[in-house]
Amino acid sequence: MIVLLLLAIPLEDTRRVNAEAEYDHARQLFLRGYLEASQQEAEQGYRQFQVQQPEWASRFRLLEAEVLLRRGMNEDALRVLRLWPSGSEDTEEIIHERTLEGVALTRIQRFPEANERFSQAERFCSGGAYNACGGVLRARGVLAMAHGQLATAQQFFLDSLSFARAHHDRLLEATAFLNLGVVSLQSERYDEAVDRSEDAYRIAIELGAEDLAQNAQGNLGWGYFELGDAERAQKLSLEAQKRAAGLGNIRDETKWATNAGYVYQDSGDLGRATESYSQALALATQIGSQEDIINSLEDLAYLFIEIGKLDEANAYLQQLAPLIRTTENRLDELDVTLARGEIAAARHEDQQAETAFRTVDADPESQISMRLGAEHELAKLYEGRGDAASADRMYQTALLTFEKAREQLKNEDSKLPFLANATPIYDDYIHMLVAEGKADQALAVADHSRARTLAQGLGLDVPVQPAALHATEIARKADATLLFYWLGHAQSYLWAVTPRQTRLFPLPAKGEITAVVERYQNALLGPDDVLASSNEDGRALYQMLVAPASDLIRPGSNVVILGDGVLTRLNFETLIVPSPRPHYWIEDATLVSAPSLYMLASAKPSSESGRKALVLGDALSPGPDYPELPNAPVEMERIEKHFAAGGQTILVRQ
């Protein structure tokens, strides 16, 4: 997991004008995120004023260390701080110096020394009200995060937020929101993390703090990825990585390269994921950031497990072992335990794998995502042994764990994309049930994966666990043939349901179907008539998705499409039926869509009485770029015939 904690403490003073102007300019460069330029000016300022104005040289030296720390160059920051004049009588500066040194020591995992520096700073803070003391609170949060003490870290960051507001320090307020967002990310409260990161981003934009803005932007990318919104996550992560590189912020560049790798790996682009993680490891090694080196090694280990290169994965874990022993971070230990379990499972060392997974699942410090991963792996382990009963129980346990995680989300907008995190579990469970000959139960599980979130948004009560579906009764009530699709990683399925029977048909894998759908949708948006041009993709999709169940669909009858994934955006009416002559499927059936069987069964029958219509169309053309539609009047007349004259509101022309 990525941990991103920002340190930026403005210092205030009014001394000799020439030194002050030089310092303020360098400081503004830092606050706006131009780190390399700020570092250069701080170095020059120190050399320029170290003899004639040593008090200002001291400030330039602290600024140089702060910039280096922000860039992730912790050893260099410590080197600069060792040259700082220890005889300074400015208490604000002393507090600031102790804080910076403590954070640098935290980053290189010299925790006892870091704790001592913070204690020294706190003793100065106890003697009076100093602006730099807000940074001490924040730095304590950094140390708590390094130990995996999330509740303690959150309290320190909340205290720093209160300090910022009491002292009208907008920059400290922004960093408090940013760091609270990191705590939310680590605690897997992802919609809360997005809210806090957006607060940080808003303040950063108001302040013109470019570095802080890219920081918040990258954390937003992480939050949206964990919520299942991969497209938005990828865009935010790549933009943040580019901005961090342009600003000379190597540490943040490392983190956003990692975020991009997560999205690539999730989408199956393992080559790009490898490049991103390797880039992150190289950058982390360049700046000596132990925390980021650990994250990158963990990511590469899991990636190579997925690829099937177990020896390489194990080599990364061996590199991790001595690093983790010094962190005292239980989450890192559990992450490695889970990875070792996956390697053991892949090598058919079942007992070793089961022990590892149960250790992670039972540990009270495990994150929900870790428990979810352990339970999923246990289910697959039991399935591989042929113990279907134990596998079934563990799949259901994993899905209950997922539901608990989803219940923690506060925003309804977050719950729908969050479903993507459970898709691999549902996919494996459905595949197992089908293999066991339990097609009806598999249909119930597949429908439950959609119905739970969708129905909650409409205020409907949906059981936490999949319940038995009476699919044929739902088809009878709808007076239709139901075509229910599930797009799986290795195998997709179609359940065709009529009032009399339910039949299951295997379909190609999700990737193959998606490629054809995307090509056909592009063709539909193009200038050519796909029917006249005998588009092969339109025919192929009909043969792939509909033809297997064609004998269950009476000519002219109703068909309800319950799509999945990319199929929810496909207009099935445009699929091309090849015989007796090529024609659109809309000529053979009346098609409607539904999100799930559960919701279809819950729908109330429509009333034919008192129907009203609002009809808008046949508008005036605003110019030659938007010509009038010649058939619009005819289409509107056809619609009007279906409604009583008194129940129509018609808006046309002007």
Side-chain angles (χ1 to χ4, degrees):
M1 284 296 180
I2 305 169
V3 179
L4 185 57
L5 303 156
L6 188 70
L7 292 162
I9 309 172
L11 299 177
E12 298 179 359
D13 204 336
T14 53
R15 300 187 182 180
R16 296 185 184 181
V17 176
N18 58 348
E20 180 180 17
E22 295 286 343
Y23 177 83
D24 284 347
H25 187 265
R27 184 75 189 171
Q28 284 302 311
L29 286 173
F30 170 66
L31 297 180
R32 293 184 178 276
Y34 301 104
L35 303 182
E36 290 183 278
S38 176
Q39 182 184 335
Q40 291 173 2
E41 290 196 8
E43 292 173 354
Q44 293 170 3
Y46 173 75
R47 290 194 299 269
Q48 181 179 354
F49 298 107
Q50 65 178 336
V51 176
Q52 295 182 345
Q53 300 182 49
E55 72 278 11
W56 277 103
S58 171
R59 286 186 169 224
F60 279 111
R61 183 63 86 185
L62 283 180
L63 177 58
E64 181 186 355
E66 189 171 2
V67 177
L68 288 166
L69 190 62
R70 184 69 191 95
R71 296 183 67 191
M73 303 166 75
N74 304 304
E75 294 286 1
D76 290 333
L78 286 172
R79 173 183 53 78
V80 170
L81 289 170
R82 282 194 291 269
L83 299 174
W84 185 72
S86 58
S88 173
E89 296 180 359
D90 188 317
T91 304
E92 286 276 8
E93 288 189 9
I94 295 172
I95 296 171
H96 189 37
E97 186 275 336
R98 298 292 191 275
T99 304
L100 292 177
E101 189 175 4
V103 172
L105 291 166
T106 299
R107 295 262 177 83
I108 61 174
Q109 299 180 354
R110 289 162 58 180
F111 299 130
E113 296 171 74
N115 186 65
E116 176 57 30
R117 299 304 186 277
F118 295 149
S119 296
Q120 292 171 6
E122 287 165 343
R123 285 195 287 272
F124 283 103
C125 287
S126 64
Y130 300 101
N131 291 332
C133 294
V136 181
L137 293 169
R138 179 179 49 205
R140 279 292 190 188
V142 173
L143 181 60
M145 288 291 288
H147 286 301
Q149 299 166 350
L150 302 183
T152 302
Q154 171 156 290
Q155 189 56 57
F156 277 122
F157 295 142
L158 287 171
D159 291 343
S160 74
L161 178 61
S162 298
F163 186 99
R165 288 172 169 170
H167 290 76
H168 308 289
D169 187 339
R170 292 283 282 162
L171 188 64
L172 180 61
E173 182 181 2
T175 60
F177 275 123
L178 184 77
N179 294 334
L180 285 167
V182 173
V183 173
S184 298
L185 288 169
Q186 293 280 36
S187 303
E188 300 183 320
R189 301 190 301 269
Y190 299 119
D191 54 346
E192 179 183 86
V194 167
D195 290 342
R196 287 172 164 179
S197 299
E198 285 179 341
D199 285 336
Y201 186 82
R202 172 179 50 80
I203 299 174
I205 294 300
E206 292 173 3
L207 296 174
E210 174 68 12
D211 192 46
L212 175 56
Q214 65 79 20
N215 203 305
Q217 186 180 40
N219 278 351
L220 281 169
W222 179 14
Y224 281 118
F225 171 73
E226 295 291 0
L227 285 170
D229 193 341
E231 183 176 353
R232 186 182 296 187
Q234 185 73 299
K235 180 180 179 181
L236 288 166
S237 298
L238 292 176
E239 287 179 357
Q241 183 182 358
K242 182 177 180 180
R243 292 169 78 175
L247 294 168
N249 190 328
I250 301 172
R251 186 162 189 263
D252 286 358
E253 185 183 358
T254 302
K255 296 177 185 305
W256 311 144
T258 301
N259 274 15
Y262 291 158
V263 182
Y264 288 134
Q265 184 175 357
D266 187 65
S267 67
D269 192 343
L270 303 185
R272 282 192 177 182
T274 303
E275 292 175 5
S276 292
Y277 294 150
S278 298
Q279 180 187 13
L281 179 59
L283 290 168
T285 303
Q286 176 184 335
I287 61 176
S289 174
Q290 294 289 90
E291 175 187 328
D292 295 307
I293 290 171
I294 289 172
N295 288 332
S296 299
L297 290 172
E298 287 177 353
D299 295 332
L300 284 164
Y302 276 106
L303 178 64
F304 277 88
I305 291 171
E306 182 174 346
I307 294 173
K309 296 182 177 180
L310 303 182
D311 291 338
E312 288 90 335
N314 194 55
Y316 286 122
L317 295 181
Q318 289 176 350
Q319 293 181 55
L320 274 168
L323 299 176
I324 289 177
R325 280 196 292 269
T326 64
T327 66
E328 302 176 15
N329 189 328
R330 182 59 178 160
L331 292 178
D332 284 329
E333 295 175 5
L334 291 168
D335 226 6
V336 170
T337 300
L338 184 59
R340 292 196 186 283
E342 292 189 20
I343 291 175
R347 290 174 170 168
H348 304 291
E349 299 167 351
D350 288 4
Q351 189 57 54
Q352 183 178 340
E354 182 173 359
T355 299
F357 297 146
R358 290 204 172 277
T359 297
V360 174
D361 192 36
D363 195 295
E365 294 190 41
S366 282
Q367 295 174 311
I368 290 177
S369 60
M370 291 179 175
R371 292 202 297 275
L372 197 63
E375 290 162 1
H376 187 191
E377 292 297 332
L378 280 168
K380 292 193 295 183
L381 190 69
Y382 296 144
E383 183 182 354
R385 289 179 184 171
D387 187 351
S390 296
D392 190 283
R393 286 193 297 272
M394 191 51 66
Y395 275 122
Q396 292 189 42
T397 298
L399 293 175
L400 281 174
T401 298
F402 167 76
E403 288 298 337
K404 291 177 182 177
R406 183 161 59 174
E407 287 171 1
Q408 291 183 8
L409 298 176
K410 299 177 182 178
N411 299 330
E412 290 297 329
D413 290 345
S414 301
K415 291 185 177 181
L416 183 56
F418 189 69
L419 176 63
N421 293 310
T423 299
I425 303 175
Y426 276 110
D427 193 26
D428 287 339
Y429 189 23
I430 289 166
H431 186 73
M432 186 194 80
L433 291 171
V434 170
E436 292 288 319
K438 300 176 180 178
D440 289 345
Q441 186 179 345
L443 175 59
V445 171
D447 189 68
H448 183 268
S449 72
R450 304 172 198 171
R452 182 122 172 99
T453 295
L454 294 169
Q456 282 177 344
L458 296 174
L460 299 177
D461 184 23
V462 182
V464 174
Q465 291 184 302
L469 281 174
H470 302 288
T472 55
E473 179 60 24
I474 297 172
R476 186 198 63 75
K477 178 183 175 182
D479 188 26
T481 298
L482 315 179
L483 300 183
F484 186 102
Y485 295 91
W486 176 267
L487 299 187
H489 176 70
Q491 176 79 69
S492 301
Y493 300 103
L494 162 63
W495 285 266
V497 185
T498 73
R500 295 179 177 274
Q501 61 178 308
T502 299
R503 287 169 59 185
L504 175 66
F505 302 94
L507 300 180
K510 176 181 179 179
E512 181 180 341
I513 294 174
T514 298
V516 182
V517 169
E518 289 178 347
R519 287 200 306 268
Y520 190 52
Q521 287 179 316
N522 289 333
L524 289 170
L525 295 172
D528 297 332
D529 183 333
V530 295
L531 188 60
S533 62
S534 300
N535 185 280
E536 291 299 324
D537 290 323
R539 296 173 183 236
L541 286 172
Y542 178 82
Q543 293 294 344
M544 186 186 300
L545 302 174
V546 180
S550 59
D551 62 331
L552 300 178
I553 305 171
R554 300 189 314 276
S557 64
N558 299 321
V559 177
V560 178
I561 304 294
L562 298 105
D564 183 30
V566 70
L567 298 185
T568 62
R569 303 192 299 273
L570 174 65
N571 186 346
F572 276 74
E573 296 172 341
T574 67
L575 301 188
I576 298 174
V577 184
S579 61
R581 55 174 177 76
H583 61 280
Y584 292 121
W585 191 27
I586 193 174
E587 296 184 25
D588 297 344
T590 300
L591 306 179
V592 296
S593 297
S596 77
L597 291 170
Y598 184 92
M599 295 183 69
L600 184 62
S602 303
K604 297 179 180 179
S606 62
S607 173
E608 293 293 326
S609 62
R611 297 193 307 160
K612 296 182 179 181
L614 170 62
V615 188
L616 300 89
D618 193 17
L620 290 175
S621 169
D625 291 337
Y626 301 95
E628 295 185 4
L629 302 175
N631 292 324
V634 176
E635 292 174 355
M636 293 183 69
E637 288 177 7
R638 291 177 178 174
I639 293 171
E640 292 167 22
K641 292 178 181 178
H642 293 275
F643 298 88
Q648 298 183 27
T649 300
I650 302 172
L651 303 177
V652 298
R653 309 307 289 169
Q654 294 88 347

